Amino acid sequence: MSRSDRFDSPWALPLAAAALAVVLVVFELTLLDLTLQDYLYDFAGRRWVVDGNEPVGRLVFYNGPKIAVFVAAAALLALLFGPARWRERLRFDRRGLAVAVLTLATLPALAGLGKNFTNVFCPSEIRRYGGKVPYVPLCGDYPQDDRPAERGHCFPAGHASGGFALIGLMWLRASRSWRRGALLLGLAVGWWMGGYQMLKGAHYLSHTLVTMTLAFVVTLAWARVAGPPRAAPDN
């Protein structure tokens, strides 16, 4: 089975869902998040490796990528509903365009929804790193006498969701080379955005990994809803 066929396998979606479950369980039962985050925080100077207010870094890792993802989504939407000759010129499949657009729309929406319901705080907000609330994992309970006055809104990683959603571009063409490139692009941009958030204390590793694996679940689910792909050359 070719690499491109693996994404169309009926096992792809269950395996992605299983990977998401494994990530959740592993980080719930360990202190990997805190162990890594300790390396990214200067306890003596009480500051993170990266200053989130530094304008150049914020442009390159935060605002710039967000704008680029938005422009990409707008372009794909135009191709989806525009004249057929646009798609033919680029050799883009309309089914694939629909999957890509839906992935770019729903993954950030799901990440935002998760933030509103999970009640998880960012690293910079917990006492270990100079914040005001105790550290509690995703499924943990806050002590009765130490409950935060407000809810946390930090899980999963929302900023990186736009970058990871670019893996939906895999479906524009069925060739192995295209899918490999689109996959690498989505992972690279997702970690570019998510890594920056970790370095400035805005997210834990688990937040970014959950968003990444959720991206695979979302795009594979939409691909299944869209139906089988058209036959394409294996190149």
Side-chain angles (χ1 to χ4, degrees):
M1 179 180 291
S2 70
R3 184 182 298 271
S4 60
D5 291 334
R6 292 173 187 173
F7 293 108
D8 298 314
S9 164
W11 292 102
L13 180 56
L15 286 174
L20 175 59
V22 168
V23 170
L24 288 168
V25 170
V26 167
F27 281 89
E28 186 69 20
L29 298 179
T30 67
L31 294 176
L32 287 174
D33 274 337
L34 293 179
T35 300
L36 175 60
Q37 217 65 35
D38 283 352
Y39 286 102
L40 305 180
Y41 185 72
D42 179 1
F43 287 93
R46 301 183 69 82
R47 61 177 180 268
W48 294 97
V49 171
V50 167
D51 180 3
N53 295 318
E54 196 277 318
V56 175
R58 188 169 180 83
L59 173 64
V60 173
F61 293 95
Y62 194 86
N63 293 324
K66 284 179 68 174
I67 294 171
V69 170
F70 179 81
V71 170
L76 291 172
L77 194 63
L79 287 169
L80 176 61
F81 293 105
R85 65 177 183 275
W86 293 358
R87 296 185 292 276
E88 292 168 359
R89 182 176 302 172
L90 295 170
R91 294 185 293 128
F92 285 170
D93 177 50
R94 193 167 193 180
R95 166 193 177 270
L97 279 165
V99 174
V101 168
L102 287 167
T103 301
L104 281 162
T106 54
L107 181 62
L110 286 173
L113 188 65
K115 288 175 177 288
N116 290 329
F117 286 96
T118 51
N119 193 24
V120 173
F121 287 88
C122 304
S124 61
E125 296 174 313
I126 70 168
R127 294 187 189 123
R128 187 185 189 95
Y129 306 117
K132 298 180 179 179
V133 300
Y135 171 76
V136 173
L138 177 63
C139 298
D141 293 320
Y142 290 96
Q144 290 290 342
D145 58 348
D146 197 12
R147 291 183 179 275
E150 299 179 352
R151 293 179 61 84
H153 297 277
C154 202
F155 179 88
H159 178 57
S161 65
F164 287 127
L166 291 174
I167 66 173
L169 299 178
M170 289 191 302
W171 309 105
L172 298 183
R173 295 179 189 170
S175 70
R176 287 180 295 178
S177 58
W178 176 271
R179 289 195 173 178
R180 185 184 301 115
L183 175 62
L184 291 175
L185 175 66
L187 292 176
V189 177
W191 282 106
W192 179 267
M193 301 167 77
Y196 172 73
Q197 294 293 84
M198 291 170 57
L199 291 172
K200 70 187 186 74
H203 282 297
Y204 295 105
L205 174 61
S206 65
H207 298 188
T208 308
L209 282 173
V210 164
T211 297
M212 182 187 74
T213 50
L214 180 62
F216 283 96
V217 172
V218 168
T219 197
L220 288 167
W222 281 124
R224 179 166 294 189
V225 170
R230 296 190 307 173
D234 187 26
N235 54 44

